[in-house]
Amino acid sequence: AIFHLPRNKKFSLQFMASLVLSILLFGLIIFGIQKSTNNASYQLIKIEELIKEKNYEAVITRATDALDNPSSYKAQLLFQRSFAYIELNKQELAIDDLENSVQLHKEFPEAYFNLAILYSSQGASKKAEEAVKIAYQLKPQNEDYIKLYEQIMGERP
């Protein structure tokens, strides 16, 4: 409808078709932008940027909002929010998020590692031992995990 042969030009039809196409394209672009900004993986990228900027309050806000529609990223969103809570010295909230995170994703060594540190700092030695054992089992080659294991368990793994 937009393009006609040179002798068969119909300006009003061509103009209307061009207008409809422009409106349709604009609507699809807006829909695509909204769909991607509401996507949990997009939110995780933005959260990483906020962590680099050390804007932990914004991390908590963005992660909390993203948890309304987490897709398959709920454990990661909880982990990122727990990191912000740790940085803001809100250990109980961080522990809650990390515990929920490991319930959702059993093989999440970073979450177990952070849990071990938090449990240890609160004097919950049994929980710290359990968490560090799991973290070490999941990443036995990681030097930080080995050091934490030695610190909490009092022996080499």
Side-chain angles (χ1 to χ4, degrees):
I2 295 173
F3 301 104
H4 285 275
L5 296 174
R7 293 188 179 172
N8 295 329
K9 291 183 179 180
K10 297 181 180 177
F11 291 109
S12 61
L13 178 62
Q14 288 176 295
F15 175 75
M16 289 304 291
S18 297
L19 184 63
V20 168
L21 180 63
S22 298
I23 292 170
L24 183 64
L25 284 174
F26 180 75
L28 287 173
I29 289 169
I30 296 299
F31 174 77
I33 290 170
Q34 284 182 331
K35 194 73 171 162
S36 68
T37 58
N38 292 334
N39 186 311
S41 62
Y42 173 81
Q43 295 301 329
L44 279 170
I45 292 168
K46 289 299 181 184
I47 289 169
E48 286 290 329
E49 292 172 4
L50 291 169
I51 288 173
K52 288 178 185 174
E53 296 169 5
K54 298 183 179 189
N55 189 350
Y56 302 118
E57 292 290 343
V59 169
I60 292 168
T61 301
R62 189 173 284 267
T64 302
D65 291 345
L67 284 166
D68 290 339
N69 186 21
S71 184
S72 61
Y73 297 101
K74 187 171 184 178
Q76 291 83 353
L77 289 165
L78 288 167
F79 178 79
Q80 297 293 25
R81 187 171 71 175
S82 75
F83 180 79
Y85 283 141
I86 291 168
E87 293 297 321
L88 295 173
N89 203 27
K90 298 179 179 181
Q91 292 185 351
E92 290 300 324
L93 293 171
I95 288 172
D96 288 344
D97 277 357
L98 288 169
E99 287 174 343
N100 288 326
S101 183
V102 297
Q103 285 179 352
L104 293 167
H105 185 32
K106 300 289 185 208
E107 295 188 9
F108 201 162
E110 296 85 359
Y112 286 107
F113 180 82
N114 287 354
L115 270 173
I117 293 170
L118 291 171
Y119 287 148
S120 180
S121 73
Q122 291 188 339
S125 58
K126 290 288 184 200
K127 287 183 175 184
E129 289 173 4
E130 291 173 22
V132 78
K133 283 179 186 176
I134 296 169
Y136 173 74
Q137 289 170 354
L138 294 171
K139 273 195 172 177
Q141 304 303 322
N142 188 301
E143 286 297 320
D144 292 332
Y145 289 40
I146 293 169
K147 288 177 187 174
L148 185 63
Y149 186 96
E150 290 172 354
Q151 179 184 346
I152 291 174
M153 301 300 290
E155 62 188 27
R156 288 205 47 86

